[in-house]
Amino acid sequence: MQNYRSLEPFFSPKSVAVIGASNQAGSVGYTIFKNLKAALPFHAYPINPNHATVQGIRSYTSINGVEEKIDLAVIVTPAHIVPTALQECAQKKVRAAIIVSAGFSEVGEKNYTAQIRRIIAANPHMRVMGPNCVGVKNLSTGIDTTFFDQGRMKEPRHGSLSFISQSGALGSMILDWVSKQHFGINKFVSYGNAMDVDEADLLEYFAQDKSTKVITAYLEGARDGRKFFDVAKMATLKKPVIVLKGGRFEKTSRATASHTGSLAGSEKVYEAVFRQSGIIQARGMQDLFNTGKLFERENLPKGRRVAIITNGGGFGIVMADHVINNGMELADLSAKTKKNLEKKLKVSIGNPIDLLGDADAQRYDAAIKACLLDPNVDILVVMCLFTLSPLRAQEMKILEKPRGKKQKTMVVVAVGGDYTEQQLEKIEKSGFTAYDFPGTAAKALGHAAEYSEFLKRSRN
Amino acid sequence: MQNYRSLEPFFSPKSVAVIGASNQAGSVGYTIFKNLKAALPFHAYPINPNHATVQGIRSYTSINGVEEKIDLAVIVTPAHIVPTALQECAQKKVRAAIIVSAGFSEVGEKNYTAQIRRIIAANPHMRVMGPNCVGVKNLSTGIDTTFFDQGRMKEPRHGSLSFISQSGALGSMILDWVSKQHFGINKFVSYGNAMDVDEADLLEYFAQDKSTKVITAYLEGARDGRKFFDVAKMATLKKPVIVLKGGRFEKTSRATASHTGSLAGSEKVYEAVFRQSGIIQARGMQDLFNTGKLFERENLPKGRRVAIITNGGGFGIVMADHVINNGMELADLSAKTKKNLEKKLKVSIGNPIDLLGDADAQRYDAAIKACLLDPNVDILVVMCLFTLSPLRAQEMKILEKPRGKKQKTMVVVAVGGDYTEQQLEKIEKSGFTAYDFPGTAAKALGHAAEYSEFLKRSRN
């Protein structure tokens, strides 16, 4: 818990100072201070010796001039001022400092880098994030040190998925993409050069963070391989951890040799570490967040037996192929389910359950209900063909019922244009999880089934 | 060419009769006749003995009552009337008949099925599509026997990609999805029970059809495995053929045993047939059409050497991983390109070429131009991070230039929300091909590189 407590001020500070807060609209020091003073329910202090006020608020020459205790300092000064600013933060007994400024080891600079390293070593009470980072965004408390352009990006919804990104730019794209999706972000962090706080520290923090249900990460390497492996083994037992590893091949991995004990870029080493520690390895950006969404919204499946309901034969077969290809199996429906549905629907029941092209919402409701009750089914996939069909999402009674905490994993899949998108929108608003292609749904479900079996093995 | 000529009346008839044309709005016989009479530049004849007029047009008791020669008859009557209607078409010397009506071998019916089989055998001058099919849609001539609900579906653009779908429902979803995409359909055909015209006939037709540049197909099996293999070997030398095989596994393949000589459902058999005949096997619906789009819009790459341009380091690395994972390689840029770009851009040039986060359109233009001229580059991937960047698509000069017929394969990739989507829209409108995730782009490019090498091997 040591690590958890020491990182807490990054995400939930009671007071913040921005060293290098600026009056120049568009600059990083301007945007960060503007966002913080607007978002926080308390005073945010601008530190800038060149101005009496910053954005209308009294400015201080040094952080030591502030009387109140400061939990978090955000440093956005030019690189050569950073060591002095960080030293003053240590004197002020600041608990957490984010160095947003760039121009250090990432460009081969040595002098200021060494000074920062010495200050970090001499002040273990102060945790330091960066340099060269975008920092943190906590959608619960409103703390936000990112300097994203609001004209080009939208805010994601508030939810329970947290995201650690080695790359601030990649993180920004994902947050923006999530703004159009029906699932939410809890916290985001981009930690830059990792001179103190690294990926393992953050993974440990999110594992213990109660408001985070799912951890996602984009990583290019681990600064300390052993530490990362140990933390990962602990974290995956508490909640799903999905990682997209960038630089999987020798030719694509950036030099990590400068860090002692760093994990090599070899694909096989990472695959083994991820598998042994229960980390879910995403196969791309789309897979990372389609899988994250499933965990954020759905209960964990008890196994890998999948029932498919469809109103298009070929559509069901395509899904069945993906199910098998992603390591799941087609459920053998119980005799009771079959008998019950054959009587009600007057069609022969297999799996996929083909409700035929003229199926209406009532037929869907009956089939979904039967599958949710069937002990042979772990996962339910509801395929909806809206183009050549009388089916309307708003007529499905199942969508009006609140999802139970123990209800089976269930997703809806529909492919099409505008009308289909509107129907999916209705379905997701009702609290159900939808995907726009069979393949993306199956990948996410495959990851969930695998994680479920990992937990069973680990807990036995 | 025999087969080509005999199928032409399905796609470009000079006269059409709809047997079972109806006055009842919403019925299949109503919709098909309504679409045909509105779309065709000549008379479409309604055949219905129960009404003097259908939709305001004089109706005929039998197709034999029509004086004009009829190229295409579309039969939408109840199943028990179909044999008589088809026999009358044969007498009238109709060249092509589409039996939309269902209720035959697909539900185990034997009597009418046998009668239809006899009529087909006795009248080789008349080609028959169906029964139980959606029929054809030709965006060049306006011929359309599909009965898609216009409220639920939108028309795709007119282009050069043709699509053969064993499943009418799956076909309708894809056409609807394409309506939102920046590429176009030339012809669509869903051929149902394939009592006469089958997948191999259609593949042969599209291989010879001049307005089709790319052939895509959703198939669950081939009625005659040997014939399909032979036609496929011929077709793939003329243009790319991309197939999504439904029922890849024993547990997901529908019985095809009723057809003599049909290919078994085994995944390995199909994989081998596809590989040997040069068919590109799509891994899902998304892959089928993302790959189709690439072939429709871009020139075929000369090889598998990829240059990546990016303004986000991590974003470039993710793409590089996908490039290698999809069987391509990172190009070794020529010394000239490196020197030229290092001088112009003042950054160190690797591959990915990282233009850094503050890159503007001018920097992109310079890098794209250099890569297009580099003899070591076959494929160019332009990654655009719009969220944390000053980059604006409308300022890129390259987008104003017409694409040459010999220009290298080039795609743009950007991930994000609304702003990014608007930028991608601009890029696609300029004639460039864009993808919203690195993984989907890389899969399509990998297929193109593989097809290019297949052609080289086959032509040597």
Side-chain angles (χ1 to χ4, degrees):
Chain A
M1 293 297 283
Q2 183 75 31
N3 218 344
Y4 177 74
R5 279 201 205 99
S6 77
L7 296 188
E8 191 60 15
F10 285 108
F11 300 99
S12 308
K14 294 207 176 67
S15 53
V16 179
V18 178
I19 305 177
S22 164
N23 280 320
Q24 193 191 329
S27 73
V28 172
Y30 177 90
T31 308
I32 290 180
F33 187 68
K34 181 164 166 270
N35 289 346
L36 284 175
K37 84 178 166 128
L40 294 175
F42 48 81
H43 213 66
Y45 298 92
I47 315 293
N48 188 328
N50 304 321
H51 298 282
T53 61
V54 170
Q55 297 178 38
I57 294 175
R58 181 200 154 182
S59 170
Y60 295 79
T61 304
S62 153
I63 194 169
N64 283 310
V66 180
E67 279 181 30
E68 198 190 341
K69 196 172 157 286
I70 298 290
D71 286 340
L72 173 66
V74 184
I75 303 174
V76 288
T77 65
H80 68 277
I81 297 173
V82 171
T84 309
L86 191 64
Q87 185 58 49
E88 289 176 355
C89 290
Q91 283 157 6
K92 175 71 184 163
K93 298 213 180 307
V94 161
R95 295 173 65 200
I98 299 175
I99 307 174
V100 172
S101 320
F104 301 91
S105 61
E106 83 277 10
V107 291
E109 192 283 334
K110 283 181 184 161
N111 182 18
Y112 305 131
T113 303
Q115 289 181 45
I116 294 172
R117 205 177 295 285
R118 278 196 296 272
I119 299 168
I120 290 172
N123 296 283
H125 67 277
M126 177 175 74
R127 297 303 303 267
V128 177
M129 192 178 289
N132 184 31
C133 73
V134 165
V136 303
K137 192 181 183 82
N138 181 348
L139 282 94
S140 306
T141 61
I143 179 84
D144 187 355
T145 73
T146 65
F147 40 96
F148 298 153
D149 180 337
Q150 301 301 321
R152 286 173 176 248
M153 281 187 68
K154 290 199 172 153
E155 280 287 301
R157 291 162 206 252
H158 180 212
S160 61
L161 182 145
S162 288
F163 180 30
I164 304 167
S165 180
Q166 190 151 343
S167 157
L170 196 132
S172 74
M173 285 184 272
I174 290 286
L175 292 186
D176 189 31
W177 179 76
V178 171
S179 73
K180 298 202 74 174
Q181 306 291 316
H182 283 274
F183 69 97
I185 299 289
N186 195 275
K187 299 180 181 73
F188 164 72
V189 53
S190 156
Y191 57 94
N193 295 7
M195 283 177 66
D196 173 27
V197 176
D198 65 14
E199 51 286 320
D201 294 330
L202 291 164
L203 185 55
E204 191 182 338
Y205 174 82
F206 286 125
Q208 286 161 340
D209 178 36
K210 285 201 175 65
S211 51
T212 293
K213 188 179 159 193
V214 190
I215 304 171
T216 53
Y218 170 73
L219 303 178
E220 287 168 14
R223 191 172 62 140
D224 180 338
R226 186 75 238 173
K227 178 177 157 193
F228 182 77
F229 187 44
D230 289 341
V231 168
K233 280 193 292 188
M234 176 279 291
T236 55
L237 293 179
K238 288 176 183 282
K239 53 193 81 170
V241 179
I242 314 156
V243 175
L244 173 61
K245 167 73 175 78
R248 288 166 52 198
F249 304 100
E250 203 193 324
K251 289 217 167 182
T252 61
S253 66
R254 291 201 255 208
T256 50
S258 60
H259 302 301
T260 317
S262 67
L263 266 177
S266 151
E267 198 198 3
K268 282 189 183 148
V269 172
Y270 272 97
E271 296 248 340
V273 166
F274 286 2
R275 201 171 47 247
Q276 283 168 34
S277 60
I279 285 179
I280 299 156
Q281 190 173 10
R283 297 298 165 181
M285 290 171 70
Q286 206 177 8
D287 190 27
L288 178 65
F289 279 82
N290 277 326
T291 304
K293 164 178 162 173
L294 185 75
F295 282 115
E296 209 250 4
R297 292 177 62 114
E298 290 294 316
N299 298 320
L300 196 65
K302 290 223 164 48
R304 50 179 73 228
R305 299 167 306 169
V306 181
I308 300 169
I309 296 171
T310 185
N311 57 343
F315 199 29
I317 284 177
V318 167
M319 188 72 211
D321 280 340
H322 281 296
V323 159
I324 292 176
N325 212 30
N326 282 281
M328 296 169 286
E329 56 190 52
L330 295 173
D332 267 327
L333 300 178
S334 73
K336 196 178 154 193
T337 304
K338 277 190 195 169
K339 208 173 139 190
N340 166 0
L341 282 180
E342 278 171 1
K343 197 174 150 199
K344 256 192 203 144
L345 308 177
K346 317 274 183 237
V347 291
S348 131
I349 298 295
N351 185 12
I353 301 171
D354 190 348
L355 302 177
L356 304 184
D358 61 348
D360 56 9
Q362 230 178 329
R363 237 186 278 172
Y364 266 86
D365 279 335
I368 291 169
K369 198 175 155 191
C371 288
L372 290 179
L373 290 172
D374 191 321
N376 294 355
V377 174
D378 301 313
I379 296 168
L380 178 55
V381 179
V382 181
M383 314 288 291
C384 297
L385 162 76
F386 288 111
T387 43
L388 269 184
S389 128
L391 182 64
R392 302 207 297 181
Q394 60 268 44
E395 288 171 1
M396 287 166 78
K397 287 252 169 19
I398 186 88
L399 297 185
E400 292 162 20
K401 287 190 187 158
R403 306 292 305 277
K405 280 215 166 176
K406 288 188 172 177
Q407 204 188 54
K408 282 171 184 162
T409 314
M410 173 175 150
V411 303
V412 177
V413 180
V415 179
D418 288 336
Y419 183 83
T420 297
E421 277 179 17
Q422 287 158 24
Q423 295 284 308
L424 283 179
E425 181 81 12
K426 279 191 188 108
I427 289 166
E428 291 228 291
K429 276 198 181 146
S430 306
F432 288 76
T433 308
Y435 290 96
D436 58 357
F437 278 102
T440 46
K443 264 193 194 170
L445 290 168
H447 287 310
E450 206 181 317
Y451 178 64
S452 165
E453 297 202 343
F454 162 79
L455 281 186
K456 271 190 226 163
R457 278 199 309 276
S458 308
R459 283 169 182 170
N460 279 343
Chain B
M1 293 299 283
Q2 182 76 31
N3 217 345
Y4 178 75
R5 279 200 205 97
S6 77
L7 296 188
E8 191 60 15
F10 285 109
F11 299 99
S12 308
K14 294 211 175 62
S15 54
V16 179
V18 178
I19 306 177
S22 164
N23 281 320
Q24 193 192 326
S27 73
V28 172
Y30 177 89
T31 307
I32 289 180
F33 186 68
K34 182 165 166 271
N35 290 346
L36 284 174
K37 84 177 163 123
L40 294 175
F42 46 81
H43 213 67
Y45 297 92
I47 315 294
N48 188 328
N50 305 320
H51 298 282
T53 61
V54 170
Q55 299 179 38
I57 294 175
R58 182 200 155 182
S59 170
Y60 295 81
T61 305
S62 153
I63 194 167
N64 284 309
V66 180
E67 278 180 31
E68 197 190 341
K69 193 173 157 289
I70 298 288
D71 286 339
L72 173 67
V74 184
I75 303 175
V76 288
T77 65
H80 68 274
I81 298 172
V82 171
T84 311
L86 190 65
Q87 185 59 50
E88 289 176 357
C89 289
Q91 285 156 7
K92 174 71 183 163
K93 298 214 182 305
V94 159
R95 297 173 63 202
I98 299 175
I99 307 174
V100 172
S101 320
F104 301 91
S105 61
E106 81 278 9
V107 292
E109 192 282 335
K110 283 179 183 161
N111 183 16
Y112 306 131
T113 303
Q115 290 181 47
I116 294 173
R117 206 177 294 283
R118 278 194 297 274
I119 299 169
I120 289 172
N123 296 281
H125 68 277
M126 177 176 72
R127 298 301 305 264
V128 177
M129 193 179 292
N132 183 31
C133 71
V134 166
V136 303
K137 189 178 185 84
N138 180 349
L139 281 95
S140 304
T141 60
I143 177 85
D144 187 354
T145 73
T146 66
F147 40 94
F148 297 153
D149 181 337
Q150 301 301 322
R152 286 173 175 250
M153 279 187 70
K154 290 198 172 153
E155 282 285 302
R157 292 161 205 252
H158 179 214
S160 60
L161 183 145
S162 288
F163 179 31
I164 304 167
S165 181
Q166 190 151 343
S167 158
L170 196 131
S172 74
M173 284 184 272
I174 289 286
L175 291 187
D176 189 29
W177 179 76
V178 172
S179 72
K180 299 202 71 174
Q181 306 291 317
H182 283 272
F183 67 97
I185 299 289
N186 195 275
K187 299 181 181 71
F188 163 73
V189 53
S190 156
Y191 58 94
N193 295 6
M195 286 177 65
D196 174 25
V197 176
D198 64 16
E199 52 286 320
D201 294 329
L202 291 164
L203 185 55
E204 191 181 339
Y205 174 82
F206 285 125
Q208 285 160 340
D209 178 36
K210 284 201 177 65
S211 52
T212 293
K213 186 179 158 193
V214 189
I215 304 171
T216 53
Y218 170 74
L219 303 177
E220 286 167 15
R223 190 171 65 138
D224 181 338
R226 185 75 237 172
K227 178 176 157 194
F228 182 78
F229 187 45
D230 289 341
V231 169
K233 280 193 292 186
M234 175 279 291
T236 55
L237 294 179
K238 289 176 182 282
K239 50 193 86 170
V241 180
I242 314 158
V243 175
L244 173 61
K245 166 73 173 77
R248 287 167 51 197
F249 304 99
E250 203 193 324
K251 290 217 164 180
T252 61
S253 66
R254 294 201 253 211
T256 50
S258 59
H259 303 300
T260 318
S262 67
L263 266 179
S266 151
E267 198 198 4
K268 282 189 183 148
V269 173
Y270 271 96
E271 296 248 340
V273 166
F274 286 2
R275 202 173 43 248
Q276 282 168 36
S277 59
I279 285 178
I280 298 156
Q281 188 171 11
R283 298 298 167 182
M285 292 169 71
Q286 206 177 8
D287 190 28
L288 178 64
F289 280 82
N290 276 325
T291 303
K293 165 179 163 175
L294 185 75
F295 283 114
E296 209 251 2
R297 292 177 64 112
E298 290 294 316
N299 297 321
L300 195 65
K302 291 223 164 52
R304 51 179 74 228
R305 299 168 304 170
V306 181
I308 301 169
I309 296 171
T310 185
N311 57 344
F315 199 29
I317 285 177
V318 167
M319 188 70 212
D321 280 340
H322 282 296
V323 159
I324 293 176
N325 211 32
N326 283 281
M328 295 169 287
E329 56 190 52
L330 296 173
D332 267 326
L333 300 178
S334 73
K336 194 177 156 192
T337 304
K338 276 190 197 171
K339 206 173 140 191
N340 167 359
L341 282 179
E342 278 172 1
K343 197 175 151 198
K344 255 191 205 146
L345 308 177
K346 320 275 183 232
V347 290
S348 130
I349 299 296
N351 184 12
I353 300 171
D354 190 347
L355 301 177
L356 304 185
D358 61 348
D360 55 11
Q362 228 179 331
R363 238 185 278 172
Y364 266 86
D365 280 334
I368 291 169
K369 198 177 155 193
C371 288
L372 290 179
L373 291 173
D374 192 322
N376 294 356
V377 174
D378 301 313
I379 296 168
L380 178 56
V381 179
V382 181
M383 315 287 291
C384 298
L385 161 76
F386 289 112
T387 44
L388 270 184
S389 124
L391 183 65
R392 301 206 299 184
Q394 62 267 45
E395 290 171 358
M396 287 166 79
K397 287 252 170 22
I398 187 87
L399 298 184
E400 291 162 20
K401 288 190 186 157
R403 305 293 304 277
K405 278 212 168 177
K406 288 188 171 177
Q407 205 189 53
K408 283 172 184 161
T409 313
M410 173 174 149
V411 303
V412 177
V413 180
V415 178
D418 288 335
Y419 183 83
T420 297
E421 279 180 16
Q422 288 158 22
Q423 295 284 308
L424 284 179
E425 182 80 13
K426 279 192 189 109
I427 289 167
E428 293 228 290
K429 276 197 182 147
S430 307
F432 288 75
T433 308
Y435 290 96
D436 58 357
F437 278 103
T440 46
K443 264 191 193 171
L445 289 169
H447 287 311
E450 206 181 317
Y451 178 63
S452 165
E453 297 202 342
F454 163 80
L455 282 186
K456 271 190 229 164
R457 277 198 310 276
S458 308
R459 284 170 181 171
N460 278 344

